Every structure is written in structure tokens, then in C-alpha cells.
Amino acid sequence: MNIFGRLRSVPLFEHLTDEQLQELEKIVVSQKLQPGFILFREGDNGSTFYIIAAGSAKIYTEKDGKEKIITIFRAGDSFGELALLDGENRSASVQILEPSVLLSISHNDFFRFLEGNFSFTRQILKQLSSRIRKANKEITDMVFLDVETRVLKVLADLAIKHGTRENNLVRIDIKIGLHEIGKLVGISQQVVNGVLTHLHRRGIIRFEGHSIYMDASKLIKK
């Protein structure tokens, strides 16, 4: 897929006209990155907006030596809006999880584009509002949901975003380890391993390679 096609597939750009996308394409830079590459760290100066054209990356924070994964982004997802718009330092770190292709737009070029495209500016605001709601929901979950429910909720979110249906099974095809699932939930690796083992014994989930399978019928009965 060419850059124009990749831009068209990004939800953030879905309301742009072909002419607007063609103008946006002119300021896009493409780069190939390998697993483990740190794109930027929390606190770094932020001046670039990114789109994942292929592959995946984890967005995370670190406190007292402990890593907390905020989310996993895959092809079509974008990040870096906050630093791009307000010029402040990065609020989280980003690490590439698999061979990936990223498209990037610099702060100065992006603002010149926004000045002539109010509809796109409005779409950016909608995206930011959605992410704020998601963060507020995660805070509520941390307070009110039990550990097993939180793990299942994270798996369900991954299934919605990265899953494919195979009869009663949902296959989550993403390179993510058990420890990273624990970081998404916000609990220790020991605790999440115990929860996942319990769910596996009950036949709700199973692991095959990099894929996680969830039995939707047993999940409903839970």
C-alpha cells in the first residue's frame, strides 16, 4: 500500500478529502524500525506525530523501576498528538514490538497543514477527547474491578482491536507476552500468571505461539 492509501486507512484522517490527503502526503516521512527500538522516552522533547503503517508498538510509562503498559498500537493507529499540539515533553515512552513501518509528521509541517484544514483540526480534538475518556475508564476499572475481571477486560479489549473470530473462539494475533498483559492490567507478573493459568484451566483462554485464543461461549457463561 502506498503512503496515500495508508493515510486513508487511518481513522484520524477518514474525513479528509483526496485533495487534503494529497497535501498531507507531501509532509510525511516513512521509516522502517526493528523490534526493541525505543522511538522516544517519557520526558523527551516531543515534536513529531506518528502513524503505524505496519507492525506494532507499545506505549508505556515507568515508575520506581516498574513498567506500566498504557496500550498496544498496531497498523492504522496513531500517537504523539499531545506533544505535537502543545509542544510539551512526551508523557510516555514507545518501543517497537516487531518489524514496523512508521509514518511521521513534524510539528511545524503539521501546524501549517492544520491552519488550512479546520475539519481536520476538529477530528484531532475528537480523538483527544476519546483518549481522555479511555484513561478515565481505566482509572475507574483499577478502583472497582477485581483482578480476574480486569485481566478479562484487557483481553477483551485486545480481542476487539486485534482479534479474529473462529467459530466460538477469538484469536488475538499480537506479539505480547504475559508480563506485558500484566503491565496493561497494572498488576505484577506473578499475579497475572496466576489469573491466566486459572483461566486456561477453565478453558477460557489458551496460548499458541504469539496468539491468544479466547472461548467466547465459556466467557459468556462466566
Side-chain angles (χ1 to χ4, degrees), residues 158-178:
L158 289 172
I160 291 171
K161 195 170 185 180
H162 309 295
T164 54
R165 191 69 179 263
E166 299 178 3
N167 297 318
N168 285 333
L169 297 179
V170 178
R171 179 169 62 89
I172 305 170
D173 187 17
I174 183 171
K175 294 182 178 179
I176 181 172
L178 301 185

Side-chain angles (χ1 to χ4, degrees), residues 45-59:
N45 179 55
S47 60
T48 307
F49 168 67
Y50 294 95
I51 305 153
I52 298 182
S56 62
K58 67 176 179 181
I59 285 66

Side-chain angles (χ1 to χ4, degrees), residues 34 64 76-77 86 90 114 125 141 149 154 170 181 191 203 211:
Q34 296 303 311
D64 299 328
D77 290 330
D86 61 21
R90 298 292 186 184
L114 287 182
L125 294 175
D141 289 347
T149 302
V154 164
V170 178
I181 294 175
V191 173
S211 297

Side-chain angles (χ1 to χ4, degrees), residues 135-195:
N136 288 339
K137 185 66 168 60
E138 289 175 351
I139 293 172
T140 301
D141 289 347
M142 289 287 288
V143 175
F144 294 107
L145 298 183
D146 61 70
V147 173
E148 182 175 313
T149 302
R150 283 159 54 192
V151 170
L152 285 171
K153 184 177 184 300
V154 164
L155 292 176
D157 289 342
L158 289 172
I160 291 171
K161 195 170 185 180
H162 309 295
T164 54
R165 191 69 179 263
E166 299 178 3
N167 297 318
N168 285 333
L169 297 179
V170 178
R171 179 169 62 89
I172 305 170
D173 187 17
I174 183 171
K175 294 182 178 179
I176 181 172
L178 301 185
H179 66 289
E180 291 176 311
I181 294 175
K183 290 170 184 174
L184 279 170
V185 179
I187 57 179
S188 70
Q189 182 176 343
Q190 290 77 13
V191 173
V192 76
N193 282 345
V195 173

Side-chain angles (χ1 to χ4, degrees), residues 200-217:
H200 180 267
R201 288 173 178 169
R202 293 170 57 191
I204 295 176
I205 65 170
R206 76 171 190 268
F207 294 87
E208 290 186 10
H210 292 298
S211 297
I212 303 171
Y213 288 82
M214 296 181 65
D215 189 325
S217 62

